[in-house]
Each structure stands twice: as C-alpha cells, then as structure tokens.
Amino acid sequence: GDSVTQTEGPVTVSESESLIINCTYSATSIAYPNLFWYVRYPGEGLQLLLKVITAGQKGSSRGFEATYNKETTSFHLQKASVQESDSAVYYCALGDNTGNYKYVFGAGTRLKVIA
Amino acid sequence: NAGVIQTPRHKVTGKGQEATLWCEPISGHSAVFWYRQTIVQGLEFLTYFRNQAPIDDSGMPKERFSAQMPNQSHSTLKIQSTQPQDSAVYLCASSWTANTEVFFGKGTRLTVV
C-alpha cells in the first residue's frame, strides 16, 4: 500500500542551525503522487507548509524547502537556519493528483528549537 | 475567516455511550473531510463529502461510525457505543474542491473511559 516514513522525533536543534527532516514515500496505488509538508504549531490546526506536484521540482515557504525526488522516492524538508518560532510538529504527506483529500500522512516529527 | 471550527475541543465519554462531534467548514468550501489521529495509527482518512453528498467513506470503521452533512455549514461525526480504542483526535478539514488546499480544524480530542 501507500505509505510515508519520516524522521522520528523529537528533533532538537539550536537556533540558527540547519535542519533536515527526512521523508520517504511509497506510492504503489498512485500513479502521479503529489507531495506535501504540513505543520502544526502549538495550539493551532494543521496547516499547509509547502507542496510539490511535479517530480524534480522544489517547493519553498517560510525559509523551508523540499525537492520531490522520484528516483529516491524522497521529499526531505530542509531549512538553512531555524528559529524558535519553527518549533512545531511537521508532517509529510502523499496525495493523489485526482483529488488530494485522501492524504497518506507520515507519523509526524516534533521539532524543538532552542535558543 | 475563523477557519474550520470543531466543537467540542475535548470530549470525555463513558464506554458504550454515544459521541457526536461537530464541524463547521469554511464558508464556501464544497469539500469536507474527516480524519482521525492516534499515536499508533497516526493520521488516517475517514470520509469525504462534496457539496454535502458522501463521496468516499472508505476509511470509516464499518460499525458504530457514521458521518453526515445535513447542510453546507456543518458536518457531524457520530460514534455509537464508544469503545476505549475510539479515543483519538478527530480532525475535520475543508477545501474549495478536492484538488485545492485543505484547511484543517484544531480537532476534537475524544477520550473514552
């Protein structure tokens, strides 16, 4: 079946350091998967951070970026310099390009950024 | 725009009781979804409505769970005869269409004791 595996948390990073949260996927029933990163800040609902629907393309938002790599079936999330406000839970997700409602989510990675 | 509103935010029910969870999607959104989040299973899709019609309920447990959308301004998820394994955070989400950005509510944490 379809699945998403991401870095197991919690991940603790010092402010201004770089970050990478790994995400790999298996899309056995989806011919052209779309890939997403969602984030949940404390006390808030899940919100879309970035998405990429074409293999080989890179998405970016709020200083985060992720490249859709079809060869390695990966969609790692990276940021060059994190801030305390980036502390949140990050979810990698897989969707179908015919209707993204039926996401397959990773388990989530809790990130704590310390000053 | 208040976003997707879910009520209550927390609910505690006794084993065997019924639980009804409410969702108010963003005004104008035609697509409404329900997800469930547990520590063991993570985030799982439950069901999807489009223009109030049930389109896909493939993630819904066949027994005891039902979802409805009686009008465009709210949807309900009902769990009959709740069991401890139903304890989870239930998330509602909406979007303009199934292919556009999905906005999630803050969830309802259901605890069955």
Side-chain angles (χ1 to χ4, degrees), chain A residues 20 23 32 38 58 99:
Chain A
I20 182 165
C23 171
Y32 302 99
Y38 274 84
K58 179 168 70 177

Side-chain angles (χ1 to χ4, degrees), chain A:
Chain A
D2 304 319
S3 65
V4 173
T5 303
Q6 59 182 102
T7 299
E8 188 172 333
V11 172
T12 303
V13 180
S14 296
E15 201 167 31
S16 78
E17 288 192 346
S18 64
L19 168 74
I20 182 165
I21 298 176
N22 291 327
C23 171
T24 57
Y25 67 89
S26 171
T28 56
S29 69
I30 303 173
Y32 302 99
N34 295 343
L35 297 174
F36 305 81
W37 278 100
Y38 274 84
V39 58
R40 181 162 59 204
Y41 297 104
E44 300 295 322
L46 269 177
Q47 52 185 274
L48 180 66
L49 179 60
L50 57 87
K51 72 173 183 181
V52 179
I53 64 174
T54 305
Q57 298 297 307
K58 179 168 70 177
S60 59
S61 174
R62 308 178 207 177
F64 289 89
E65 47 182 47
T67 300
Y68 182 164
N69 189 320
K70 189 175 180 181
E71 285 68 38
T72 59
T73 63
S74 66
F75 191 56
H76 306 320
L77 183 68
Q78 301 183 72
K79 189 172 187 182
S81 176
V82 297
Q83 303 170 338
E84 268 193 280
S85 58
D86 294 325
S87 297
V89 183
Y90 294 81
Y91 295 87
C92 185
L94 178 69
D96 187 324
N97 68 342
T98 63
N100 288 321
Y101 64 89
K102 208 167 176 176
Y103 292 115
V104 174
F105 282 92
T109 302
R110 182 176 298 277
L111 171 67
K112 181 176 181 181
V113 180
I114 55 177

